[in-house]
Amino acid sequence: PQALTLFGIVLLMAGVVTIYVLRYILRGQIGDHIVRFLVNAFKFENSDAQTIYQLVIRNNMDMILFVVILIFLVILFRFSISWFTKYFDEISAGMDKLVEESDDEITLSPELDFMENKLNQIKSNLEKQKKAALDAEQRKNDLVVYLAHDIKTPLTSVIGYLSLLDEAHDMPSEQKAKYVGITLDKAYRLEQLINEFFEITRFNLQTIVLNKENINLLFMLQQMADEFHPMLTPQEKSVSINVPEFLTLWGDTDKLARVFNNILKNAIAYSHENSIIDISAKQQDKNIVTFTNQGNPIPQAKLETIFEKFYRLDSARSTNTGGAGLGLAIAQEIVTAHGGTISVDSNIENTTFTVMLPF
């Protein structure tokens, strides 16, 4: 814009100078040339030629200058339009490149460097968004394949054991009870996987509505630890809760319970046997709740993607413990809705999830 403004000022000054020079020339030597031309071409007397010059040119000097100015302005206008059209064409071509699947940067004239930077920034953002969408879609498709396979496995077991029970009417009661127990376990697993399918469908469709109240954090976490006791016992894991007795949170009880539930479930799944999962809380400028477990460290490159939906840390996916990869993503959505943040830090000794919530 500055270059264009400077160019316009230069053209305007050139026009003014041209007009003054033309006015001076018409009144000076060029006037003598016009008189001589009339004398030589039309055989006028010198006095008659001067009279004609006076009447036709000198007396109409303002009109002649007006016509010259008008012509100059028309030329200036046409030139300016052409100049601006060139820039608009460049911008239009640059915008066309936004939708092209090319790694080439958008290049414009030096005068449009501000626009060039903006278009390249938009192009870069669009490419990142497109890649993120494709990655998320691929993870979702992979997850659906995994879940479909996992659903088929317990379903096959359920059908197989029920068929045995149906065919062997004289089966011993002890063996029958064993088969019924196995079938029931597989049916529960099947229900869990079907619920995960519904979770995938609802994830982007529901709006988080918060019903806030005062929450006794210690009481909530103690209840949660009791609920996870059956998962902890087989591998001799335990939960240590270090929370001030009267520490309260202001938030949605059910949804924050889901946040802590998802983090604790993740900590149990990826912690070592015979280890302790530490849950601590304190108040600084915010309420800070941490979940620390001892397990294999999360690779640094994956720390930034662990909260993405449909992301699973273990790509191999365990049939018994594998989930939809939505737990931590949903936890982040809920914490963000409360105006807080959730983060993770991992090293060779332990992994710590930190939830920070405003007072």
Side-chain angles (χ1 to χ4, degrees), residues 15-247:
V16 172
V17 171
T18 301
I19 292 170
Y20 275 100
V21 170
L22 183 61
R23 186 181 183 92
Y24 172 79
I25 291 175
L26 288 175
R27 289 179 175 176
Q29 293 181 356
I30 195 171
D32 296 336
H33 288 297
I34 293 174
V35 170
R36 283 198 296 271
F37 172 76
L38 293 175
V39 170
N40 296 329
F42 300 100
K43 307 302 180 183
F44 289 132
E45 294 292 332
N46 188 65
S47 59
D48 294 335
Q50 288 183 357
T51 301
I52 294 173
Y53 169 74
Q54 181 73 28
L55 294 174
V56 175
I57 297 179
R58 289 293 297 272
N59 291 349
N60 296 298
M61 183 68 71
D62 292 337
M63 180 61 68
I64 294 173
L65 291 177
F66 174 77
V67 173
V68 172
I69 292 172
L70 186 61
I71 293 173
F72 181 82
L73 290 176
V74 170
I75 295 173
L76 177 61
F77 178 75
R78 289 291 301 275
F79 189 79
S80 300
I81 290 296
S82 176
W83 187 277
F84 280 107
T85 301
K86 169 193 170 185
Y87 288 137
F88 285 130
D89 290 341
E90 284 191 44
I91 294 172
S92 178
M95 294 181 70
D96 289 339
K97 287 186 178 180
L98 288 177
V99 296
E100 294 179 1
E101 296 187 6
S102 172
D103 295 332
D104 297 336
E105 286 193 352
I106 298 171
T107 304
L108 303 178
S109 298
E111 296 85 355
L112 296 174
D113 58 341
F114 70 100
M115 183 62 70
E116 176 183 312
N117 294 335
K118 192 68 177 178
L119 290 176
N120 281 317
Q121 182 181 358
I122 294 173
K123 183 178 176 65
S124 176
N125 291 339
L126 289 175
E127 289 174 352
K128 290 179 181 177
Q129 292 174 6
K130 183 178 179 180
K131 185 178 183 302
L134 290 175
D135 290 344
E137 186 66 23
Q138 184 61 47
R139 288 197 299 270
K140 182 175 180 179
N141 292 338
D142 292 343
L143 182 68
V144 170
V145 173
Y146 294 148
L147 285 175
H149 175 269
D150 285 354
I151 284 177
K152 184 178 179 180
T153 301
L155 183 59
T156 301
S157 297
V158 169
I159 294 173
Y161 283 109
L162 288 178
S163 297
L164 289 174
L165 291 170
D166 182 57
E167 294 171 359
H169 298 289
D170 57 347
M171 182 182 296
S173 58
E174 183 178 344
Q175 187 177 8
K176 183 181 294 186
K178 178 182 177 181
Y179 285 174
V180 169
I182 295 175
T183 303
L184 188 59
D185 288 340
K186 298 298 182 181
Y188 285 145
R189 176 59 181 164
L190 188 60
E191 180 186 36
Q192 178 188 356
L193 292 170
I194 291 173
N195 288 336
E196 289 183 2
F197 265 119
F198 283 112
E199 200 73 22
I200 294 171
T201 304
R202 291 194 317 229
F203 185 74
N204 282 329
L205 301 180
Q206 62 183 1
T207 302
I208 298 179
V209 179
L210 302 178
N211 298 310
K212 292 186 177 182
E213 59 183 344
N214 283 316
I215 303 169
N216 186 313
L217 181 60
L218 178 60
F219 180 71
M220 172 190 284
L221 294 175
Q222 285 176 337
Q223 277 191 323
M224 189 177 302
D226 292 339
E227 293 172 1
F228 278 99
H229 184 72
M231 293 179 61
L232 294 164
T233 303
Q235 296 184 342
E236 298 184 3
K237 299 177 183 179
S238 62
V239 174
S240 173
I241 301 176
N242 302 292
V243 177
E245 185 175 355
F246 298 105
L247 194 154

Side-chain angles (χ1 to χ4, degrees), residues 147 150 189 192-193 196 312 314 317-324:
L147 285 175
D150 285 354
R189 176 59 181 164
Q192 178 188 356
L193 292 170
E196 289 183 2
R312 282 185 51 81
D314 54 335
R317 195 173 191 278
S318 167
T319 300
N320 294 325
T321 62

